[in-house]
Amino acid sequence: MEQLCVVALSCLLAIILLYGLIELHYFLRMCLCVLLARFVKRRCHILESTTVNGVCLSNDVDTLLYHMNNARYFRELDFARVDFYERTKLYSTITRLGGSVFQGAATIRYRRFIRPFHRFKIISRIIYWDEQSLFMEHRFVRPSDKFIHCIVICRQRVIDVSMDAIMAELLPNTSTTPLQASRHTLSSTASLHPAMVAMGTATSVPATTLEAASQAENGHVATTTTLSTGTTTTGTGAGAGTTGTTALAKLKPPLPPELCKWIEYNDMSSKNLRSGC
């Protein structure tokens, strides 16, 4: 009996130690999320939206025990990104082409807090990409009435491979592409205003602003320049035919105006950091 108590106490202490040193339930949930996205959930086209469900638990709330902690929103996005990467085969395509991806920047706009033990959905989609980055929008939505609690814009940087080459691998030969592409021609903010949605066109962005947005964080000019009409011209045509480039240009969403401003601000911040400010 004593040996059984010792074993049980040792297991309990080991679990406490693991939770003290490692956020064990985070990694367990991440493994579950990968397994579900890879083997259970349906495959999605790269321009489709994906949805993951969540609930605000007791370890997610703020010190006042009144709402979900602001930092937890970004943590929940880890599961939403993994689900999107696996279901669209984005991550496997990046690694197959010899590249890697990491998060370069993120911005969040809160609208209304999420109360403890309330459910929410995270809807993720691609809103734009350039030569070196992929821009994703994540919305925290209340399932009952579709109210948007907050919107997050993330910049995923890819290295050792062109983002255009990745999208060229993922975009062709999908019947849902025209519908999804047309949905993404509007900016993320404009989609909240019915009057702007009815217009069905994106705001034209000045050429000078687009030139600033094409500056990469490493100080080099990207080889792809995006025009207000949504077409692309590539400096190097290795491995890409005229037909594939034209199709990619037609499916590529135009740069949303507010995203253009955000890219410009990030580039200014990177230049200041490089200059020692």
Side-chain angles (χ1 to χ4, degrees):
M1 187 65 182
E2 288 186 11
Q3 291 181 349
L4 183 61
C5 291
V6 171
V7 171
L9 183 60
S10 300
C11 292
L12 180 61
L13 291 176
I15 293 174
I16 294 175
L17 183 63
L18 281 175
Y19 267 92
L21 298 177
I22 304 172
E23 200 168 2
L24 192 59
H25 60 283
Y26 170 84
F27 291 101
L28 291 177
R29 184 183 171 189
M30 182 63 71
C31 292
L32 178 62
C33 185
V34 172
L35 291 175
L36 290 176
R38 187 172 295 181
F39 301 110
V40 178
K41 295 184 178 180
R42 72 172 181 87
R43 294 294 181 186
C44 295
H45 185 260
I46 189 64
L47 293 183
E48 280 189 89
S49 298
T50 60
T51 302
V52 295
N53 297 301
V55 59
C56 179
L57 299 176
S58 57
N59 60 344
D60 296 323
V61 297
D62 213 336
T63 53
L64 299 176
L65 303 179
Y66 189 63
H67 59 81
M68 186 170 169
N69 186 282
N70 292 340
R72 287 291 182 175
Y73 288 85
F74 286 104
R75 171 197 158 113
E76 290 294 322
L77 291 184
D78 289 345
F79 307 111
R81 272 194 298 270
V82 165
D83 182 80
F84 185 89
Y85 285 176
E86 290 294 333
R87 295 175 65 186
T88 60
K89 296 185 177 181
L90 175 61
Y91 185 76
S92 60
T93 303
I94 293 175
T95 55
R96 179 167 53 84
L97 295 178
S100 58
V101 59
F102 62 92
Q103 180 148 303
T107 181
I108 187 169
R109 179 163 64 90
Y110 300 100
R111 297 185 69 205
R112 188 174 298 175
F113 49 75
I114 300 176
R115 293 187 180 277
F117 307 108
H118 280 217
R119 295 174 56 248
F120 59 86
K121 298 189 301 182
I122 305 177
I123 302 175
S124 307
R125 67 187 180 103
I126 292 176
I127 57 174
Y128 186 69
W129 70 85
D130 59 22
E131 182 72 11
Q132 296 178 321
S133 302
L134 176 72
F135 298 90
M136 295 189 64
E137 178 194 78
H138 307 275
R139 297 189 177 200
F140 287 74
V141 180
R142 187 164 55 203
S144 58
D145 58 358
K146 311 301 180 184
F147 179 83
I148 301 174
H149 287 278
C150 75
I151 297 179
V152 187
I153 304 295
C154 296
R155 181 178 191 173
Q156 309 299 123
R157 295 298 305 272
V158 293
I159 56 176
D160 298 328
V161 64
S162 166
M163 195 62 220
D164 284 333
I166 297 168
M167 297 304 290
E169 289 278 333
L170 294 171
L171 279 175
N173 303 325
T174 303
S175 59
T176 58
T177 297
L179 173 61
Q180 299 297 337
S182 64
R183 287 176 54 191
H184 287 71
T185 55
L186 294 176
S187 69
S188 57
T189 303
S191 60
L192 297 176
H193 303 286
M196 296 185 69
V197 172
M199 293 173 61
T201 56
T203 306
S204 178
V205 183
T208 55
T209 310
L210 288 171
E211 183 180 355
S214 66
Q215 294 289 335
E217 288 189 5
N218 59 7
H220 299 293
V221 179
T223 58
T224 301
T225 304
T226 306
L227 306 178
S228 59
T229 57
T231 59
T232 57
T233 56
T234 307
T236 58
T242 305
T243 304
T245 304
T246 305
L248 185 63
K250 289 182 179 180
L251 294 174
K252 185 174 183 178
L255 179 64
E258 69 275 18
L259 180 60
C260 182
K261 293 292 185 181
W262 185 59
I263 296 173
E264 186 177 0
Y265 167 78
N266 275 274
D267 293 334
M268 291 172 58
S269 177
S270 297
K271 291 177 182 178
N272 290 335
L273 290 173
R274 288 195 299 269
S275 62
C277 296

